[in-house]
């Protein structure tokens, strides 16, 4: 469901049966028995401190929170610790080292000690939420929101763009900034913008 290459060159593969790490010679798998929040891993991120973060996305077992692996040990964060929601759909670390967590209720951020709500969606999403996040070259943050369009944060204010502003559909599922600094927006509707 998700893949990343860490700072050591290891490839991490998120599946519906946990997460596996390939070091070039062998696979090692990690599951809930090792402390992972859920055996489904739909999004992952390695932060600038070398911590690995895992979210289960939409899973059959219900909301589970956010897993963090540091020095080989897993820790699970949930709404009890301040997460906006326990459905983790997307992850982003900004240039300042702040972790942004996309959920079915909106976005929260983590400064290494405390979770803070950045914004909420207009309704609790049952099949969607904040599916993708991106920080562009200028430092602006972009959030892809199922059914609510595209939200931009310039460090001070949030602005939402919808089909009325030119998007092909309000269900935004992916984001990409190309080599020329052009933002591409993937929607469920008729392609990207």
């Amino acid at each position: 469901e998700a893949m990343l290459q860490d700072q050591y060159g290891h490839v991490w593969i998120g599946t519906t049966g946990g997460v596996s790490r390939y070091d070039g010679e062998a696979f090692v798998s990690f599951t809930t028995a090792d402390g992972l929040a859920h055996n489904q891993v739909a999004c992952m991120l390695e932060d600038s401190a070398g911590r690995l973060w895992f979210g289960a996305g939409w899973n059959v077992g219900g909301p589970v929170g956010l897993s963090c692996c540091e020095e080989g040990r897993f820790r699970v964060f949930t709404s009890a610790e301040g997460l906006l929601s326990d459905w983790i759909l997307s992850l982003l670390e900004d240039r300042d080292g702040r972790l942004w967590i996309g959920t079915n209720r909106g976005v929260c951020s983590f400064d290494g000690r405390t979770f803070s709500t950045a914004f909420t969606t207009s309704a609790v999403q049952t099949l969607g939420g904040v599916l993708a996040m991106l920080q562009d070259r200028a430092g602006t943050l972009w959030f892809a929101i199922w059914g609510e369009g595209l939200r931009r944060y310039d460090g001070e204010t949030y602005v939402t763009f919808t089909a009325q502003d030119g998007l092909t559909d309000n269900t935004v599922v992916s984001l990409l900034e190309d080599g020329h600094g052009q933002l591409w927006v993937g929607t469920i509707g008729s392609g990207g913008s």
Side-chain angles (χ1 to χ4, degrees):
E1 301 225 353
M3 294 179 64
L4 76 76
Q5 184 173 24
D6 70 20
Q7 63 185 326
Y8 304 107
H10 302 150
V11 176
W12 292 79
I13 304 164
T15 71
T16 57
V19 65
S20 296
R21 181 187 67 213
Y22 181 66
D23 64 6
E25 295 180 17
F27 282 94
V28 176
S29 294
F30 303 92
T31 67
T32 54
D34 301 295
L36 195 62
H38 194 277
N39 282 335
Q40 177 171 305
V41 176
C43 60
M44 61 178 99
L45 170 88
E46 180 180 28
D47 69 18
S48 55
R51 293 177 296 237
L52 294 164
W53 298 87
F54 305 96
W58 291 105
N59 62 75
V60 176
V64 294
L66 179 64
S67 300
C68 177
C69 182
E70 186 173 19
E71 297 178 3
R73 282 176 259 139
F74 285 92
R75 179 172 177 198
V76 175
F77 297 94
T78 67
S79 53
E81 285 84 35
L83 270 175
L84 180 61
S85 171
D86 292 327
W87 292 101
I88 309 304
L89 308 174
S90 57
L91 298 165
L92 171 75
E93 182 183 26
D94 69 19
R95 294 179 191 160
D96 297 324
R98 181 174 291 274
L99 181 67
W100 296 80
I101 303 107
T103 75
N104 68 317
R105 294 175 164 252
V107 173
C108 63
S109 63
F110 183 63
D111 64 5
R113 294 184 314 263
T114 308
F115 291 97
S116 303
T117 298
F119 68 85
T120 58
T121 53
S122 65
V124 175
Q125 303 273 345
T126 55
L127 292 174
V130 181
L131 300 180
M133 299 179 286
L134 178 138
Q135 185 172 37
D136 69 19
R137 296 175 185 191
T140 302
L141 294 174
W142 298 89
F143 304 93
I145 307 170
W146 181 276
E148 294 185 23
L150 178 66
R151 194 160 295 165
R152 179 184 71 201
Y153 179 60
D154 63 7
E156 294 181 21
T157 58
Y158 291 93
V159 177
T160 300
F161 302 94
T162 65
Q164 291 179 337
D165 302 300
L167 288 177
T168 58
D169 192 279
N170 285 339
T171 301
V172 181
V173 296
S174 60
L175 300 169
L176 173 77
E177 182 180 20
D178 68 20
H180 300 288
Q182 178 73 37
L183 181 66
W184 292 85
V185 180
T187 66
I188 290 292
S190 323
S193 303

